[in-house]
Coordinates of all heavy atoms in Angstrom, one line a residue:
M115 N 0.8 -1.2 0.0 CA 0.0 0.0 0.0 C 0.9 1.3 0.0 O 0.6 2.2 -0.7 CB -0.9 0.0 1.2 CG -2.0 1.0 1.2 SD -3.3 0.8 0.0 CE -4.4 -0.1 0.9
K116 N 1.9 1.3 0.9 CA 2.7 2.4 1.0 C 3.5 2.6 -0.3 O 3.7 3.8 -0.8 CB 3.7 2.3 2.1 CG 4.5 3.5 2.4 CD 5.4 3.4 3.6 CE 6.2 4.7 3.8 NZ 7.0 4.6 5.0
A117 N 4.0 1.6 -1.0 CA 4.7 1.6 -2.2 C 3.8 2.2 -3.3 O 4.3 3.1 -4.1 CB 5.2 0.3 -2.6
A118 N 2.6 1.9 -3.3 CA 1.7 2.4 -4.3 C 1.5 3.9 -4.1 O 1.5 4.7 -5.1 CB 0.3 1.7 -4.3
R119 N 1.4 4.4 -2.9 CA 1.2 5.8 -2.6 C 2.5 6.6 -3.0 O 2.4 7.7 -3.5 CB 0.9 6.0 -1.1 CG -0.6 6.0 -0.8 CD -0.9 6.3 0.6 NE -0.9 5.1 1.3 CZ -0.4 4.9 2.5 NH1 0.1 5.9 3.2 NH2 -0.4 3.7 3.1
N120 N 3.6 6.0 -2.7 CA 4.9 6.6 -3.1 C 5.0 6.7 -4.6 O 5.5 7.8 -5.1 CB 6.1 5.8 -2.6 CG 6.2 6.0 -1.1 OD1 5.7 6.9 -0.5 ND2 7.0 5.0 -0.4
R121 N 4.6 5.7 -5.4 CA 4.6 5.8 -6.8 C 3.6 6.9 -7.3 O 4.0 7.6 -8.2 CB 4.2 4.4 -7.4 CG 5.4 3.5 -7.4 CD 5.1 2.3 -8.3 NE 3.9 1.5 -8.0 CZ 3.9 0.6 -7.0 NH1 5.0 0.3 -6.4 NH2 2.8 0.0 -6.7
E122 N 2.5 6.9 -6.7 CA 1.5 8.0 -7.1 C 2.1 9.4 -6.8 O 1.9 10.3 -7.6 CB 0.2 7.8 -6.3 CG -0.7 6.7 -6.8 CD -2.0 6.6 -6.0 OE1 -2.5 7.6 -5.5 OE2 -2.5 5.5 -5.9
A123 N 2.7 9.6 -5.7 CA 3.3 10.9 -5.3 C 4.4 11.2 -6.3 O 4.5 12.3 -6.8 CB 3.8 10.8 -3.9
S124 N 5.2 10.2 -6.6 CA 6.3 10.4 -7.5 C 5.8 10.9 -8.9 O 6.3 11.8 -9.5 CB 7.2 9.2 -7.7 OG 7.9 8.9 -6.4
A125 N 4.8 10.2 -9.4 CA 4.2 10.5 -10.7 C 3.6 11.9 -10.7 O 3.7 12.7 -11.6 CB 3.1 9.5 -11.1
H126 N 2.9 12.2 -9.6 CA 2.3 13.6 -9.4 C 3.4 14.7 -9.5 O 3.2 15.6 -10.2 CB 1.5 13.6 -8.1 CG 1.0 15.0 -7.8 ND1 0.0 15.6 -8.5 CD2 1.4 15.9 -6.8 CE1 -0.2 16.8 -8.0 NE2 0.6 17.0 -7.0
F127 N 4.4 14.5 -8.7 CA 5.4 15.5 -8.6 C 6.3 15.6 -9.9 O 6.7 16.6 -10.3 CB 6.3 15.3 -7.4 CG 5.6 15.6 -6.1 CD1 5.5 14.7 -5.1 CD2 5.0 16.9 -5.9 CE1 4.8 14.9 -3.9 CE2 4.3 17.1 -4.8 CZ 4.2 16.2 -3.8
A128 N 6.4 14.4 -10.6 CA 7.1 14.4 -11.9 C 6.3 15.2 -12.9 O 6.9 16.0 -13.7 CB 7.3 13.0 -12.4
R129 N 5.0 15.2 -12.9 CA 4.1 16.0 -13.8 C 4.3 17.4 -13.5 O 4.3 18.3 -14.4 CB 2.7 15.5 -13.7 CG 2.4 14.2 -14.4 CD 0.9 13.9 -14.5 NE 0.2 13.9 -13.2 CZ 0.1 12.9 -12.4 NH1 0.7 11.7 -12.7 NH2 -0.6 13.0 -11.3
M130 N 4.3 17.8 -12.2 CA 4.5 19.2 -11.8 C 5.9 19.7 -12.3 O 5.9 20.8 -12.9 CB 4.4 19.3 -10.3 CG 3.0 19.1 -9.7 SD 3.0 19.2 -7.9 CE 3.2 21.0 -7.6
L131 N 6.9 18.9 -12.1 CA 8.2 19.4 -12.6 C 8.3 19.5 -14.1 O 8.9 20.4 -14.6 CB 9.3 18.4 -12.1 CG 9.6 18.5 -10.6 CD1 10.4 17.3 -10.1 CD2 10.3 19.8 -10.2
A132 N 7.6 18.6 -14.8 CA 7.6 18.6 -16.2 C 6.8 19.9 -16.7 O 7.2 20.5 -17.7 CB 6.9 17.4 -16.8
A133 N 5.8 20.2 -16.0 CA 5.0 21.4 -16.3 C 5.9 22.7 -16.2 O 5.7 23.7 -16.9 CB 3.7 21.6 -15.5
M134 N 6.8 22.7 -15.2 CA 7.6 23.8 -15.0 C 8.9 23.7 -15.8 O 9.8 24.6 -15.7 CB 8.0 24.0 -13.5 CG 6.9 24.6 -12.7 SD 7.5 25.1 -11.1 CE 8.2 23.7 -10.4
G135 N 9.0 22.7 -16.6 CA 10.3 22.4 -17.3 C 10.5 23.3 -18.6 O 11.4 22.9 -19.4
T136 N 9.8 24.3 -18.7 CA 10.1 25.3 -19.8 C 10.4 26.6 -19.2 O 9.9 27.0 -18.1 CB 8.9 25.4 -20.8 OG1 7.8 26.0 -20.2 CG2 8.5 24.1 -21.4
E137 N 11.3 27.4 -19.9 CA 11.7 28.7 -19.3 C 10.5 29.6 -19.1 O 10.4 30.2 -18.0 CB 12.7 29.3 -20.3 CG 13.2 30.6 -19.7 CD 14.3 31.2 -20.7 OE1 14.8 30.5 -21.5 OE2 14.5 32.4 -20.5
P138 N 9.5 29.7 -20.0 CA 8.4 30.6 -19.8 C 7.6 30.2 -18.5 O 7.2 31.1 -17.7 CB 7.5 30.6 -21.0 CG 8.5 30.1 -22.1 CD 9.5 29.2 -21.4
R139 N 7.3 28.9 -18.4 CA 6.5 28.5 -17.2 C 7.2 28.7 -15.9 O 6.6 29.1 -14.9 CB 6.1 27.0 -17.4 CG 5.1 26.9 -18.5 CD 4.6 25.4 -18.7 NE 4.1 25.3 -20.0 CZ 4.1 24.1 -20.6 NH1 4.6 23.1 -20.1 NH2 3.5 24.0 -21.8
L140 N 8.5 28.4 -15.9 CA 9.3 28.7 -14.7 C 9.3 30.2 -14.4 O 9.1 30.5 -13.2 CB 10.7 28.2 -14.9 CG 11.6 28.1 -13.7 CD1 11.0 27.2 -12.6 CD2 13.0 27.6 -14.1
N141 N 9.4 31.0 -15.4 CA 9.3 32.4 -15.1 C 7.9 32.9 -14.6 O 7.9 33.8 -13.8 CB 9.7 33.2 -16.4 CG 11.1 33.1 -16.7 OD1 12.0 33.0 -15.8 ND2 11.5 33.3 -18.0
I142 N 6.9 32.3 -15.1 CA 5.5 32.6 -14.7 C 5.4 32.2 -13.2 O 4.9 33.0 -12.4 CB 4.5 31.8 -15.5 CG1 4.4 32.4 -16.9 CG2 3.1 31.9 -14.8 CD1 3.7 31.5 -17.9
V143 N 5.8 31.0 -12.8 CA 5.7 30.6 -11.4 C 6.6 31.5 -10.5 O 6.1 32.0 -9.5 CB 6.1 29.1 -11.3 CG1 6.3 28.7 -9.8 CG2 5.2 28.2 -12.0
R144 N 7.8 31.8 -10.9 CA 8.6 32.7 -10.1 C 8.0 34.1 -10.0 O 8.0 34.6 -8.9 CB 10.0 32.8 -10.8 CG 11.0 33.6 -10.0 CD 12.3 33.7 -10.6 NE 12.1 34.5 -11.8 CZ 13.0 34.8 -12.7 NH1 14.2 34.3 -12.6 NH2 12.8 35.5 -13.8
L145 N 7.4 34.6 -11.1 CA 6.8 35.9 -11.0 C 5.6 35.9 -10.1 O 5.4 36.8 -9.2 CB 6.3 36.4 -12.4 CG 5.7 37.7 -12.5 CD1 6.6 38.8 -12.1 CD2 5.2 37.9 -13.9
L146 N 4.8 34.9 -10.1 CA 3.6 34.8 -9.3 C 4.0 34.6 -7.8 O 3.3 35.0 -6.9 CB 2.7 33.6 -9.7 CG 1.9 33.9 -11.1 CD1 1.1 32.7 -11.5 CD2 1.0 35.1 -11.0
L147 N 5.1 33.9 -7.6 CA 5.6 33.8 -6.2 C 6.0 35.1 -5.6 O 5.8 35.4 -4.5 CB 6.7 32.8 -6.1 CG 6.2 31.3 -6.2 CD1 7.5 30.4 -6.3 CD2 5.4 30.9 -5.0
T148 N 6.6 36.0 -6.5 CA 7.0 37.3 -6.0 C 5.8 38.2 -5.7 O 5.8 39.1 -4.9 CB 7.9 38.0 -7.0 OG1 7.2 38.3 -8.2 CG2 9.2 37.3 -7.3
A149 N 4.6 37.9 -6.4 CA 3.4 38.6 -6.2 C 2.5 38.0 -5.2 O 1.3 38.4 -5.1 CB 2.7 38.8 -7.5
H150 N 2.9 36.9 -4.5 CA 2.1 36.2 -3.6 C 1.8 37.0 -2.3 O 2.7 37.7 -1.9 CB 2.9 34.9 -3.2 CG 2.0 33.9 -2.4 ND1 1.0 33.2 -2.9 CD2 2.1 33.6 -1.1 CE1 0.5 32.5 -2.0 NE2 1.1 32.7 -0.9
P151 N 0.7 37.0 -1.8 CA -0.5 36.2 -2.1 C -1.5 36.8 -3.1 O -2.4 36.2 -3.5 CB -1.1 35.9 -0.8 CG -0.9 37.2 0.0 CD 0.5 37.7 -0.5
E152 N -1.3 38.1 -3.4 CA -2.3 38.8 -4.2 C -2.4 38.3 -5.7 O -3.4 38.3 -6.3 CB -2.0 40.3 -4.3 CG -2.0 41.0 -3.0 CD -0.7 40.9 -2.2 OE1 0.3 40.6 -2.8 OE2 -0.8 41.1 -1.0
G153 N -1.2 37.8 -6.2 CA -1.2 37.4 -7.6 C -1.2 38.5 -8.6 O -1.0 39.7 -8.2
M154 N -1.5 38.2 -9.8 CA -1.4 39.2 -10.9 C -2.5 38.8 -11.9 O -2.9 37.7 -12.0 CB -0.1 39.2 -11.6 CG 1.1 39.5 -10.7 SD 2.7 39.3 -11.5 CE 2.7 40.8 -12.5
V155 N -3.0 39.8 -12.6 CA -3.9 39.6 -13.7 C -3.1 39.2 -14.9 O -1.9 39.5 -15.0 CB -4.9 40.7 -14.0 CG1 -5.8 41.0 -12.8 CG2 -4.1 42.0 -14.3
V156 N -3.8 38.5 -15.8 CA -3.1 37.9 -17.0 C -2.4 39.0 -17.7 O -1.2 38.8 -18.2 CB -4.1 37.1 -17.8 CG1 -3.4 36.7 -19.1 CG2 -4.6 35.9 -17.1
G157 N -3.0 40.1 -17.9 CA -2.3 41.2 -18.7 C -1.1 41.7 -18.1 O -0.1 42.1 -18.8
E158 N -1.0 41.7 -16.7 CA 0.2 42.1 -16.0 C 1.3 41.1 -16.2 O 2.5 41.5 -16.4 CB -0.1 42.2 -14.5 CG -1.0 43.4 -14.1 CD -1.4 43.4 -12.7 OE1 -1.5 42.3 -12.1 OE2 -1.5 44.5 -12.1
I159 N 1.0 39.8 -16.2 CA 1.9 38.8 -16.4 C 2.5 38.9 -17.8 O 3.7 38.8 -18.0 CB 1.3 37.4 -16.2 CG1 0.8 37.2 -14.7 CG2 2.3 36.3 -16.5 CD1 0.0 36.0 -14.5
A160 N 1.6 39.0 -18.8 CA 2.0 39.2 -20.2 C 3.0 40.3 -20.4 O 4.0 40.2 -21.1 CB 0.8 39.3 -21.1
G161 N 2.6 41.5 -19.8 CA 3.4 42.7 -19.9 C 4.8 42.5 -19.2 O 5.8 42.9 -19.8
E162 N 4.8 41.9 -18.1 CA 6.1 41.8 -17.3 C 7.0 40.8 -18.0 O 8.2 41.0 -18.0 CB 5.7 41.2 -15.9 CG 6.9 41.1 -15.0 CD 7.4 42.5 -14.5 OE1 6.6 43.4 -14.4 OE2 8.6 42.5 -14.1
L163 N 6.5 39.7 -18.6 CA 7.3 38.7 -19.2 C 7.4 38.8 -20.7 O 8.2 38.1 -21.3 CB 6.8 37.3 -18.8 CG 6.8 37.0 -17.3 CD1 6.2 35.6 -17.1 CD2 8.2 37.1 -16.7
G164 N 6.6 39.7 -21.3 CA 6.7 39.8 -22.8 C 6.2 38.6 -23.5 O 6.7 38.3 -24.6
I165 N 5.2 37.9 -23.0 CA 4.6 36.7 -23.6 C 3.3 37.1 -24.2 O 2.4 37.7 -23.5 CB 4.4 35.6 -22.5 CG1 5.8 35.2 -21.9 CG2 3.8 34.4 -23.2 CD1 5.6 34.2 -20.8
P166 N 3.1 36.8 -25.5 CA 1.8 37.1 -26.1 C 0.7 36.4 -25.4 O 0.8 35.3 -24.8 CB 1.9 36.5 -27.5 CG 3.4 36.4 -27.8 CD 4.0 36.2 -26.4
G167 N -0.5 37.0 -25.4 CA -1.7 36.4 -24.7 C -2.0 35.0 -25.0 O -2.3 34.2 -24.0
S168 N -2.0 34.6 -26.2 CA -2.4 33.2 -26.6 C -1.4 32.2 -26.0 O -1.7 31.1 -25.6 CB -2.6 33.1 -28.1 OG -1.4 33.4 -28.7
T169 N -0.1 32.6 -26.1 CA 1.0 31.7 -25.6 C 0.9 31.7 -24.1 O 1.0 30.6 -23.5 CB 2.3 32.3 -26.1 OG1 2.3 32.4 -27.5 CG2 3.5 31.4 -25.6
L170 N 0.7 32.8 -23.5 CA 0.6 32.8 -22.0 C -0.6 32.0 -21.5 O -0.5 31.2 -20.6 CB 0.4 34.3 -21.5 CG 0.2 34.4 -20.0 CD1 1.4 33.9 -19.3 CD2 0.0 35.9 -19.7
S171 N -1.7 32.0 -22.2 CA -2.9 31.2 -21.9 C -2.5 29.7 -21.9 O -2.9 29.0 -21.0 CB -4.0 31.5 -22.9 OG -5.1 30.7 -22.6
H172 N -1.8 29.3 -22.9 CA -1.4 27.9 -23.0 C -0.5 27.5 -21.8 O -0.8 26.5 -21.2 CB -0.6 27.7 -24.3 CG 0.1 26.4 -24.4 ND1 -0.5 25.2 -24.6 CD2 1.4 26.2 -24.3 CE1 0.4 24.3 -24.6 NE2 1.6 24.8 -24.4
H173 N 0.4 28.3 -21.5 CA 1.3 28.0 -20.3 C 0.5 28.0 -19.0 O 0.7 27.1 -18.2 CB 2.4 29.1 -20.3 CG 3.4 28.9 -21.4 ND1 4.1 27.7 -21.7 CD2 4.0 29.9 -22.2 CE1 4.9 27.9 -22.7 NE2 4.8 29.2 -23.0
L174 N -0.4 29.0 -18.8 CA -1.2 29.0 -17.6 C -2.1 27.8 -17.5 O -2.3 27.3 -16.4 CB -2.0 30.3 -17.5 CG -1.2 31.6 -17.3 CD1 -2.0 32.8 -17.4 CD2 -0.6 31.6 -15.9
D175 N -2.6 27.4 -18.6 CA -3.5 26.2 -18.6 C -2.7 25.0 -18.1 O -3.2 24.2 -17.3 CB -4.1 25.9 -19.9 CG -5.3 26.8 -20.3 OD1 -5.8 27.5 -19.4 OD2 -5.6 26.9 -21.5
K176 N -1.5 24.8 -18.6 CA -0.7 23.7 -18.2 C -0.4 23.8 -16.7 O -0.5 22.8 -15.9 CB 0.6 23.6 -19.0 CG 1.5 22.5 -18.7 CD 0.9 21.2 -19.1 CE 1.9 20.1 -18.9 NZ 1.3 18.7 -19.1
L177 N 0.0 24.9 -16.2 CA 0.4 25.1 -14.8 C -0.9 24.9 -13.9 O -0.8 24.3 -12.8 CB 1.0 26.5 -14.6 CG 2.4 26.7 -15.2 CD1 2.8 28.2 -15.1 CD2 3.4 25.8 -14.5
K178 N -2.0 25.4 -14.4 CA -3.3 25.2 -13.6 C -3.7 23.8 -13.6 O -4.1 23.3 -12.5 CB -4.4 26.1 -14.3 CG -5.7 26.0 -13.6 CD -6.8 26.8 -14.4 CE -8.1 26.5 -13.8 NZ -9.2 27.1 -14.6
H179 N -3.5 23.1 -14.7 CA -3.9 21.7 -14.7 C -3.1 20.8 -13.7 O -3.6 19.9 -13.1 CB -3.7 21.1 -16.2 CG -4.1 19.7 -16.3 ND1 -3.3 18.6 -16.1 CD2 -5.3 19.2 -16.6 CE1 -3.9 17.5 -16.3 NE2 -5.2 17.8 -16.6
E180 N -1.8 21.2 -13.5 CA -1.0 20.5 -12.6 C -1.1 21.0 -11.2 O -0.4 20.6 -10.3 CB 0.5 20.5 -13.1 CG 0.7 19.8 -14.4 CD 0.2 18.3 -14.4 OE1 0.2 17.7 -13.3 OE2 -0.2 17.9 -15.5
G181 N -1.9 22.0 -11.0 CA -2.2 22.5 -9.6 C -1.2 23.5 -9.1 O -1.2 23.7 -7.8
M182 N -0.4 24.1 -9.9 CA 0.6 25.0 -9.4 C 0.2 26.5 -9.4 O 0.7 27.3 -8.8 CB 1.9 24.9 -10.2 CG 2.6 23.5 -9.9 SD 4.1 23.3 -10.8 CE 3.4 23.0 -12.4
V183 N -0.9 26.7 -10.2 CA -1.4 28.1 -10.4 C -2.9 28.0 -10.2 O -3.6 27.1 -10.7 CB -1.0 28.7 -11.7 CG1 -1.7 30.0 -12.0 CG2 0.5 28.9 -11.8
N184 N -3.5 29.0 -9.5 CA -4.9 29.1 -9.4 C -5.3 30.3 -10.2 O -4.6 31.3 -10.3 CB -5.3 29.4 -7.9 CG -4.9 28.3 -7.0 OD1 -5.1 27.1 -7.3 ND2 -4.3 28.6 -5.9
V185 N -6.4 30.2 -10.9 CA -7.0 31.3 -11.8 C -8.4 31.5 -11.3 O -9.2 30.6 -11.3 CB -6.9 30.9 -13.3 CG1 -7.4 32.0 -14.1 CG2 -5.5 30.5 -13.7
Q186 N -8.7 32.8 -11.0 CA -10.0 33.2 -10.6 C -10.5 34.4 -11.5 O -9.7 35.3 -11.8 CB -10.1 33.7 -9.2 CG -9.8 32.5 -8.2 CD -9.8 33.0 -6.8 OE1 -9.4 34.1 -6.5 NE2 -10.3 32.1 -5.9
R187 N -11.7 34.4 -11.9 CA -12.3 35.5 -12.7 C -12.6 36.6 -11.7 O -13.3 36.4 -10.7 CB -13.5 35.1 -13.5 CG -14.1 36.2 -14.3 CD -15.0 35.7 -15.3 NE -14.4 34.9 -16.4 CZ -13.7 35.3 -17.4 NH1 -13.4 36.6 -17.5 NH2 -13.2 34.5 -18.3
E188 N -12.2 37.9 -12.1 CA -12.6 39.1 -11.4 C -13.2 40.0 -12.5 O -12.4 40.8 -13.1 CB -11.4 39.7 -10.7 CG -10.8 38.9 -9.6 CD -9.7 39.6 -8.9 OE1 -9.2 40.7 -9.4 OE2 -9.2 39.1 -7.9
G189 N -14.5 40.0 -12.6 CA -15.1 40.8 -13.7 C -14.6 40.3 -15.0 O -14.8 39.1 -15.4
T190 N -14.0 41.2 -15.8 CA -13.4 40.8 -17.1 C -12.0 40.3 -17.0 O -11.4 40.0 -18.1 CB -13.6 42.0 -18.1 OG1 -12.8 43.1 -17.5 CG2 -15.0 42.4 -18.3
F191 N -11.4 40.3 -15.9 CA -10.0 39.9 -15.7 C -9.9 38.5 -15.1 O -10.7 38.1 -14.4 CB -9.3 40.9 -14.8 CG -9.3 42.3 -15.3 CD1 -10.2 43.3 -14.8 CD2 -8.4 42.7 -16.3 CE1 -10.2 44.6 -15.3 CE2 -8.4 44.0 -16.8 CZ -9.3 44.9 -16.3
L192 N -8.7 37.9 -15.4 CA -8.4 36.6 -14.8 C -7.2 36.9 -13.8 O -6.2 37.4 -14.3 CB -8.0 35.6 -15.8 CG -9.1 35.1 -16.7 CD1 -8.6 34.1 -17.7 CD2 -10.2 34.4 -15.9
R193 N -7.4 36.6 -12.6 CA -6.3 36.8 -11.6 C -5.6 35.4 -11.3 O -6.3 34.5 -11.0 CB -6.8 37.4 -10.3 CG -5.7 37.5 -9.2 CD -6.1 38.4 -8.1 NE -6.4 39.7 -8.5 CZ -5.5 40.7 -8.7 NH1 -4.2 40.5 -8.6 NH2 -5.9 41.9 -9.0
C194 N -4.3 35.4 -11.5 CA -3.6 34.2 -11.2 C -2.8 34.3 -10.0 O -2.2 35.4 -9.7 CB -2.6 34.0 -12.4 SG -3.5 33.9 -14.0
T195 N -2.7 33.2 -9.2 CA -1.9 33.2 -8.0 C -1.2 31.9 -8.0 O -1.6 30.9 -8.5 CB -2.8 33.3 -6.7 OG1 -3.8 32.2 -6.8 CG2 -3.5 34.6 -6.6
A196 N 0.0 31.9 -7.4 CA 0.7 30.7 -7.2 C 0.0 29.8 -6.1 O -0.5 30.4 -5.1 CB 2.2 31.0 -6.7
N197 N 0.0 28.6 -6.3 CA -0.6 27.6 -5.3 C 0.6 27.3 -4.4 O 1.3 26.3 -4.6 CB -1.2 26.4 -6.0 CG -1.8 25.5 -5.0 OD1 -1.6 25.6 -3.8 ND2 -2.6 24.5 -5.5
A198 N 0.8 28.1 -3.4 CA 1.9 27.9 -2.5 C 1.9 26.6 -1.8 O 3.0 26.0 -1.6 CB 1.9 29.0 -1.4
A199 N 0.7 26.1 -1.4 CA 0.7 24.8 -0.8 C 1.2 23.6 -1.7 O 1.9 22.8 -1.2 CB -0.7 24.5 -0.3
A200 N 0.8 23.7 -2.9 CA 1.3 22.7 -3.9 C 2.8 22.8 -4.1 O 3.5 21.8 -4.2 CB 0.5 22.8 -5.2
L201 N 3.3 24.0 -4.2 CA 4.7 24.2 -4.4 C 5.5 23.8 -3.2 O 6.6 23.2 -3.3 CB 5.0 25.6 -4.8 CG 4.4 26.0 -6.2 CD1 4.4 27.5 -6.4 CD2 5.2 25.3 -7.3
E202 N 5.0 24.1 -2.0 CA 5.6 23.6 -0.8 C 5.7 22.1 -0.7 O 6.7 21.5 -0.3 CB 4.9 24.2 0.5 CG 5.2 25.7 0.7 CD 4.3 26.3 1.8 OE1 3.5 25.5 2.4 OE2 4.5 27.5 2.0
A203 N 4.6 21.4 -1.1 CA 4.6 20.0 -1.1 C 5.6 19.4 -2.1 O 6.3 18.4 -1.8 CB 3.2 19.5 -1.5
L204 N 5.8 20.1 -3.2 CA 6.8 19.7 -4.2 C 8.2 19.8 -3.6 O 9.0 18.9 -3.7 CB 6.7 20.5 -5.5 CG 7.7 20.3 -6.5 CD1 7.7 18.9 -7.1 CD2 7.5 21.3 -7.7
L205 N 8.4 20.9 -2.9 CA 9.8 21.1 -2.3 C 10.0 20.1 -1.2 O 11.1 19.6 -1.0 CB 9.9 22.5 -1.7 CG 10.0 23.7 -2.7 CD1 9.9 25.0 -2.1 CD2 11.3 23.5 -3.5
A206 N 8.9 19.8 -0.4 CA 9.1 18.8 0.7 C 9.3 17.4 0.1 O 10.0 16.6 0.8 CB 7.8 18.8 1.5
F207 N 8.9 17.1 -1.1 CA 9.1 15.8 -1.7 C 10.5 15.5 -1.9 O 11.1 14.5 -1.6 CB 8.3 15.7 -3.0 CG 8.5 14.4 -3.7 CD1 7.9 13.3 -3.2 CD2 9.3 14.3 -4.8 CE1 8.0 12.0 -3.8 CE2 9.4 13.1 -5.4 CZ 8.8 12.0 -5.0

């Protein structure tokens, strides 16, 4: 039972690391951590990192899917925040 849980955890954290395995995604996570806990709206992230909106959306979707970024709608804006608990769990692994 414990070995199965360890394999599941390893697979989960491997997916998280793979999601951050590109320079733009690593930069996004780093930027959101500097803005923690308030986060940033998508337009701010795009402006700060110089990433076009459609490309940024793709990267954010991947990070969100792996649980490293939270995205909430605020009117017409999307606010992104780092999921600090998930990133702490990754570091603890």
Side-chain angles (χ1 to χ4, degrees):
M115 190 71 91
K116 185 175 181 178
R119 272 186 271 139
N120 286 341
R121 281 193 302 275
E122 284 180 30
S124 292
H126 171 71
F127 292 123
R129 287 189 305 272
M130 288 177 74
L131 288 168
M134 283 194 303
T136 67
E137 185 178 344
R139 291 184 198 149
L140 192 57
N141 287 334
I142 291 166
V143 171
R144 186 180 65 183
L145 181 64
L146 290 175
L147 284 170
T148 64
H150 188 71
E152 297 84 18
M154 300 174 77
V155 295
V156 172
E158 293 172 326
I159 299 168
E162 185 74 25
L163 298 178
I165 300 174
S168 60
T169 304
L170 179 58
S171 176
H172 166 74
H173 290 309
L174 287 170
D175 282 345
K176 181 67 172 173
L177 293 168
K178 180 182 171 187
H179 184 270
E180 296 306 329
M182 291 180 285
V183 171
N184 299 314
V185 180
Q186 294 180 325
R187 180 165 296 284
E188 292 181 355
T190 59
F191 299 100
L192 293 175
R193 179 165 299 277
C194 302
T195 56
N197 183 344
L201 293 166
E202 286 174 359
L204 176 61
L205 289 173
F207 178 73

